[in-house]
Amino acid sequence: QNLLLRNQTAIVTGGSSGIGQGIAIALGAAGANVVINFHGDEEGAKKTQQAVVDKGSKAIIVKGDVGKEEDVKMIFEETKKTFGELHILVNNAGIQEDKPFLEMSLEDWQKVIQTNLTGAFLCAQRAAKVFQEQGIKEEVSKACGKIIFISSVHDTIPWSGRVNYATAKGGLKMMMKSIAQELAPKKIRVNSISPGAIKTPINEHEWKDEEGKKNMLKKIPYGRIGDTEDIAQAAVWLSSDQADYITGTSLYIDGGMTLYPSFQEK
Ligand code: NAD
C-alpha cells in the first residue's frame, strides 16, 4: 500500500468538526499520526480520533485555545511526548462572529482576529521552530516541514457584515506568503487552501434552509456545495512529497466561486 504520509505526524487545529475533522481523517488514512486539537467539543474530537484509528493510524486529542500562547505550547509538547517528531501543521481552527460594520464591537473584532489570525501565527511559528530543530529526514519527506493554512475565498472576495472574518483571512493570505518566502531556504513549505462554501456546522443555518441553499448555489458556477472531503484530499496531497515544489500558493477549492459568477452569460 502506497501511503503518501507514512511515518509522518500532523497537528490539525480545530479538528473536532467540519473541515478539520475531514482533514484529520484523511491524513490518518494516508498513514500519518494525527494530533487532533479541539477547543470545546470533546465528543467531536473523540469521533475524529476513532475515525483516524479506524483508518489504521494513531491519534491523540488535545484540548487548547489556539489564540492562547500557553495552550499552543502545550499542544506541541503533547505532540512531542506522544509521537516525537512533527512534519505537518494544518492551521484550521476558525470562527465567525458576524455583525454589520457599524455595530461591530472591539470585542467582536478581536475575538475573530485572535483565533483566526493570531492563533495561526502562534501555531505556525512553533511548528517552524520544531521543523528547524529536527532538520530534514529524506526517508520521511523531502521537505523539512509543511504548514497549511485553511484560509477562505474571503481572503480575496470582500464580505460585508463580516469585516473581522474577511480581514483575518486576507491577513492570513499575506502571512502565509511572507512566511513561505522566509522559510523556503530552510525547506519548509507553506501554503493555503482557500475553501468556498463547504457543508459544515459554520454555515449550517444557510445550507439547511431551502432559500439559503438556493442563495449559496447562485454563487457557485459548478452547481454544488462542497463537502469536507473536497478539502481533505487536497490537504493530503499538498502536504505530501507529490507537492514538493509548491510553496507560497493559495489553492482555491470553491466550485468556481472566485470566478465572478454574476458576470456569467446565461
Ligand atoms: P467548524 O465550526 O465546524 O470548525 C471550526 C473548528 O475550529 C471547530 O472544531 C472549533 O471547535 C475550532 N475552534 C474554534 N475556535 C477555536 C480555538 N480558539 N482554538 C482551537 N479550535 C477552535 O467550521 P468549518 O467550516 O469546518 O471551519 C474550519 C475552517 O475552515 C475555518 O478556519 C473556516 O474559516 C474555514 N472555512 C470554512 C468554509 C466553509 O464553507 N465551511 C469556507 C471557507 C473557510
Side-chain angles (χ1 to χ4, degrees), residues 13-21 37-41 64-68 75 91-96 114-116 150-154 165 169 172 193-203 216 228:
T13 66
S16 55
S17 65
I19 292 172
Q21 184 171 61
N37 154 251
F38 70 100
H39 187 214
D41 180 10
D65 179 343
V66 295
K68 292 193 177 139
I75 296 166
N91 265 321
N92 165 77
I95 52 168
Q96 277 183 236
Q114 190 69 22
T115 300
N116 298 15
I150 303 302
S151 182
S152 163
V153 289
H154 296 294
Y165 184 83
K169 295 300 188 182
L172 211 53
I193 291 176
S194 297
I198 311 296
K199 253 185 233 166
T200 75
I202 218 173
N203 49 15
M216 281 175 105
T228 57

